[in-house]
């Protein structure tokens, strides 16, 4: 059981920070559901969450900062890192989960909005790239485990493999502008698997830093 | 030799249309070089090209329409469809040419601007998707020739293969927000090649329409 905070409000900083973030992201999600991306403002999120506007400006700076943080959190909770015991099945599960998330019109609109924001704003660009890098870092556990089982050669670049799974889905969404369906997910996973097995993501001379 | 147009200005419509488009795209490029994407307007392009503003509104509708048309034209002239006699080398040359084009900061800014516009505007989205589809259709000749040489099984989906070459480059540009360098181009080409050889892009039961 957690220690009860003092009546003066002296809670552990980590705990309060985490609770503030949870409240803000929940409010962001509710505001998006109520008014869409176009209607989102820091003021509305402050009002709904009960968090000071100054805190929002300081920690998230912009609407895009909020949405990127929300997308990162959605990725963590809704795209679990699979561990089926087989690289092929892990990549397939990962691709299908990404596709299922991005197939929802609301999530798709968020991703589109963040990509558009990243083009205009270096801050949004860095925040979005950081979320993607973190997601790829987490997912690259799949590749580490496959190397451990002897399915892939040592030195296989896990980030390259998981990026290869995601790339066709984002291409469909942002470039070809078509549906992110199970078919493209299966194809993306199978292509990344075949390429990884053939050694494309295993640099010959320089395995490079982890 | 072409028939000389009448002095009344009665030229072949195709010829005049093509000349108008060439003048407008050249002016668009010059305006972009002078003032960047943010400063581009149909008025400026009309003035520089000597083409009536009404014509620009009718044919291109928006700045994004112009830029998408320009990108399509740049793709056609600057990304020639390679024919080296080997699928592996063709895909590599294609990927390196796309990367070389998108590595130029000016072109990168155009692509980013168009993707951001496609998110906001259904018209820009359709125009952009059409340009990409046309480019993939042209490039899929690479796959047809490889099937003809017996390098790939009949029924291999050429659009899927060329999309697989492009996807990691757009992912790098729009999602990971990193440099579109030769390394990612080589990796994208090698991965698409390995996946195509392994039959990922050859639907088993339904080869589907061409």
């Amino acid at each position: 059981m957690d220690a009860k905070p003092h009546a003066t409000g002296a809670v552990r900083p980590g705990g309060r920070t985490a609770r503030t973030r949870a409240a803000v992201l929940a409010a962001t999600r509710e505001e998006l559901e109520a008014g869409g991306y176009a209607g989102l403002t820091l003021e509305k999120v402050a009002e709904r969450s009960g968090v000071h506007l100054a805190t929002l400006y300081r920690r998230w700076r912009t609407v895009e900062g909020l949405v990127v943080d929300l997308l990162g959190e959605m990725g963590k909770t809704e795209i679990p890192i699979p561990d089926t015991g087989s690289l092929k099945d892990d990549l397939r599960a990962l691709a299908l989960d990404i596709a299922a998330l991005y197939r929802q019109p609301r999530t798709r609109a968020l991703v589109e909005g963040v990509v558009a924001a990243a083009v205009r704003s270096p801050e949004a660009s860095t925040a979005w790239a950081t979320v993607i890098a973190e997601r790829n870092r987490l997912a690259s556990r799949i590749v580490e485990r496959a190397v451990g089982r002897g399915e892939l050669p040592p030195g296989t670049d896990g980030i390259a493999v998981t990026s290869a799974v995601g790339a066709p889905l984002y291409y469909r969404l942002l470039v070809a502008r078509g549906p992110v369906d199970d078919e493209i997910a299966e194809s993306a996973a199978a292509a990344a698997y075949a390429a990884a097995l053939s050694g494309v993501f295993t640099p010959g001379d320089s395995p490079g830093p982890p």
Side-chain angles (χ1 to χ4, degrees), chain A:
Chain A
M1 193 177 158
D2 285 344
K4 196 177 170 190
H6 292 285
T8 53
V11 294
R12 287 171 298 125
R16 184 159 61 190
T17 300
R19 277 200 303 279
T20 298
R21 177 166 175 261
V24 166
L25 294 189
T28 302
R29 203 160 183 164
E30 287 162 23
E31 279 297 326
L32 283 164
E33 281 166 19
Y37 200 144
L40 191 66
T41 63
L42 291 188
E43 285 77 4
K44 286 183 186 168
V45 173
E47 193 169 334
R48 189 183 284 265
S49 65
V51 172
H52 284 297
L53 184 58
T55 304
L56 268 71
Y57 276 122
R58 193 172 61 243
R59 286 193 52 191
W60 288 275
R61 306 186 75 101
T62 61
V63 161
E64 283 73 33
L66 274 178
V67 173
V68 167
D69 197 13
L70 177 60
L71 275 175
E73 191 58 31
M74 288 168 77
K76 268 185 209 151
T77 54
E78 296 179 35
I79 311 178
I81 308 305
D83 186 8
T84 65
S86 134
L87 174 63
K88 189 171 193 171
D89 290 340
D90 278 358
L91 296 181
R92 185 171 176 271
L94 179 68
L96 288 169
D97 278 348
I98 299 173
L101 180 59
Y102 285 0
R103 185 154 56 232
Q104 299 166 33
R106 198 164 286 148
T107 322
R108 180 173 178 138
L110 287 189
V111 172
E112 290 179 339
V114 164
V115 167
V119 161
R120 291 190 309 268
S121 143
E123 275 181 14
S125 175
T126 302
W128 169 233
T130 304
V131 160
I132 291 294
E134 170 67 5
R135 198 184 287 181
N136 276 323
R137 194 188 62 74
L138 287 172
S140 69
R141 275 291 291 142
I142 292 171
V143 174
E144 283 167 34
R145 285 192 296 251
V147 170
R149 286 189 302 262
E151 283 194 85
L152 287 177
T156 301
D157 181 342
I159 304 287
V161 176
T162 59
S163 297
V165 172
L169 307 179
Y170 285 96
Y171 182 86
R172 177 64 68 84
L173 196 156
L174 298 167
V175 183
R177 307 286 303 155
V180 185
D181 51 23
D182 285 353
E183 196 188 347
I184 187 68
E186 304 257 13
S187 166
Y193 177 73
L197 278 203
S198 80
V200 168
F201 304 123
T202 315
D205 298 320
S206 55

